[in-house]
Amino acid sequence: MTTSSSTIKNEDLLALKSYITAADATQYNSLAATTLVLDLTHSNLNQRHAEIRFDKHDTVDCLRQKIHQKTGTPPHMQHLQLKATAGGNIFYEILPEMESERKLGYYNLPLGANVHCVDLDPYSSSAGGAYENTALVEKYKMSDEEYDKRKGTLRDWGRQKKEENPEFSLMKHAKEHAQLVEARRFYKESGSVKEGFEFDESSGLIIRAEDESDNAIQTSKPKSDAEIEYGPESIQHLTLKDRCQVQPGSRRGEIAYIGQIDDLGGGGHWVGVILDEPLGRSDGCVNSVRYFEAPGPNRGGFFRGKNVESGNFPEIDIFASDSEDEL
């Protein structure tokens, strides 16, 4: 005995299906004897208008007006196909401008029957996915230069904060904000205050505890792990425009940027490389700030200095071969 590929074997899914379909047999029991429940579909649309209610005394013209309201196809352009279920066989067809005054009860439609409208208008506004395909909608695109000139943007706010505090970075700010939100959640659930935070009596909120050294000249401020591991020493063996090879993957390219990027990874110093092949993850931008110009979206990458080796690494000719077995 063969089992259909559509058979559900998962017990949880079977239980869920049973729960959802338990009342299917009685779903129309509370309807009046003259009520019709129809599903409306359209030749140009993927959407289905489910369980639209009519009365058996409503006319075909009333049905057409409802379809016009929901799909935009005028009554004189509607070729109606009546089916017992969506996707089922057609048992009756109503051509445009015919049987308009006939009652829906005449067709003996079962509850849940499907009325499919074929749009005969060659210039229909719904043709070609015009109502549903969002790919057809022209998207507004702003150039990086235009965005950079705008005031009140996140980038503009970040610049202002950077002027106030040269050590400010959006990534650091986001991290500290997330820590504050977590500290407030923790206090709300447990009544305890996390280390590094305190309860502010005036506002009734958890705030970050002030560090006395914040207002002093921090000449002895301890370095972060990123500053220690990825400081200037990590990139001092590299020079701009040098050919290089980066790991992982032994990818080759040219060094296009060397310097500190606070908004990338854990901060610290990074090396920007224009790769010979599209094996990177960047085009030279980090959070809309351009550090170098890559010839394509995957032709650039940022790497830690320890993963970059400069030297005689010419571009690999993929058609070249040293093998005598291949000519």
Side-chain angles (χ1 to χ4, degrees):
M1 178 178 178
T2 58
T3 303
S4 171
S5 59
S6 62
T7 300
I8 300 176
K9 298 180 180 180
N10 185 291
E11 292 184 2
D12 292 334
L13 289 179
L14 285 171
L16 179 61
K17 179 183 177 182
S18 298
Y19 174 77
I20 293 174
T21 61
D24 280 6
T26 60
Q27 61 178 322
Y28 300 127
N29 285 3
S30 61
L31 297 178
T34 60
T35 299
L36 276 176
V37 178
L38 304 176
D39 285 357
L40 307 181
T41 55
H42 192 275
S43 59
N44 292 342
L45 304 173
N46 292 322
Q47 67 184 38
R48 177 173 67 99
H49 300 281
E51 299 188 350
I52 307 300
R53 296 195 179 193
F54 297 90
D55 190 272
K56 290 182 179 180
H57 297 96
D58 289 336
T59 63
V60 170
D61 186 60
C62 177
L63 172 62
R64 287 195 176 113
Q65 291 298 334
K66 181 66 72 173
I67 293 174
H68 182 204
Q69 178 187 38
K70 293 187 173 296
T71 68
T73 302
H76 67 281
M77 288 294 181
Q78 297 176 11
H79 178 176
L80 305 181
Q81 298 174 342
L82 309 185
K83 308 175 185 179
T85 58
N89 295 326
I90 302 170
F91 67 81
Y92 199 91
E93 298 192 57
I94 307 175
L95 300 178
E97 300 181 341
M98 293 184 64
E99 308 183 23
S100 295
E101 298 304 318
R102 183 164 284 175
K103 309 291 187 184
L104 295 181
Y106 169 82
Y107 302 101
N108 196 28
L109 291 163
L111 294 171
N114 172 236
V115 179
H116 182 70
C117 172
V118 179
D119 192 338
L120 300 179
D121 185 0
Y123 306 105
S124 174
S125 57
S126 64
Y131 284 178
E132 298 176 318
N133 188 356
T134 57
L136 300 176
V137 181
E138 185 177 354
K139 308 299 189 298
Y140 173 72
K141 295 182 180 179
M142 181 185 295
S143 67
D144 190 67
E145 293 76 13
E146 185 179 352
Y147 179 73
D148 197 56
K149 296 176 183 177
R150 291 205 167 199
K151 300 298 182 182
T153 63
L154 178 62
R155 185 183 297 180
D156 179 56
W157 178 79
R159 278 197 298 259
Q160 295 177 26
K161 290 295 183 181
K162 195 81 171 177
E163 291 175 0
E164 297 173 6
N165 178 11
E167 295 184 0
F168 174 85
S169 74
L170 289 174
M171 181 167 290
K172 179 183 177 183
H173 170 77
K175 182 179 180 181
E176 291 178 347
H177 179 71
Q179 291 172 345
L180 177 59
V181 171
E182 171 60 21
R184 289 176 175 175
R185 183 200 64 79
F186 183 76
Y187 176 77
K188 184 177 181 181
E189 293 182 354
S190 66
S192 301
V193 179
K194 277 196 166 189
E195 184 179 355
F197 296 88
E198 61 186 10
F199 183 78
D200 181 28
E201 297 287 349
S202 60
S203 65
L205 296 174
I206 294 295
I207 62 173
R208 190 176 295 276
E210 291 187 7
D211 189 345
E212 295 179 358
S213 63
D214 285 347
N215 300 322
I217 300 176
Q218 300 181 17
T219 54
S220 61
K221 179 183 176 181
K223 292 185 177 181
S224 66
D225 293 341
E227 289 175 322
I228 296 173
E229 186 175 0
Y230 306 124
E233 299 82 6
S234 66
I235 45 88
Q236 64 182 3
H237 63 292
L238 302 171
T239 306
L240 281 174
K241 303 295 184 181
D242 275 2
R243 291 289 302 174
C244 67
Q245 180 170 274
V246 301
Q247 303 298 339
S250 298
R251 291 165 286 176
R252 295 187 179 186
E254 180 181 294
I255 298 176
Y257 173 82
I258 301 175
Q260 187 167 341
I261 306 178
D262 293 331
D263 293 340
L264 183 62
H269 286 69
W270 292 84
V271 182
V273 178
I274 297 176
L275 299 170
D276 296 338
E277 299 180 64
L279 300 174
R281 298 181 180 178
S282 174
D283 63 351
C285 278
V286 175
N287 293 336
S288 301
V289 178
R290 182 163 295 283
Y291 291 91
F292 65 91
E293 190 76 43
N298 296 314
R299 287 289 304 278
F302 291 92
F303 307 89
R304 292 300 189 182
K306 66 179 183 179
N307 295 328
V308 182
E309 179 185 1
S310 65
N312 184 23
F313 296 106
E315 186 172 352
I316 298 174
D317 184 356
I318 60 175
F319 296 106
S321 175
D322 295 330
S323 174
E324 297 180 355
D325 297 328
E326 181 179 345
L327 300 176

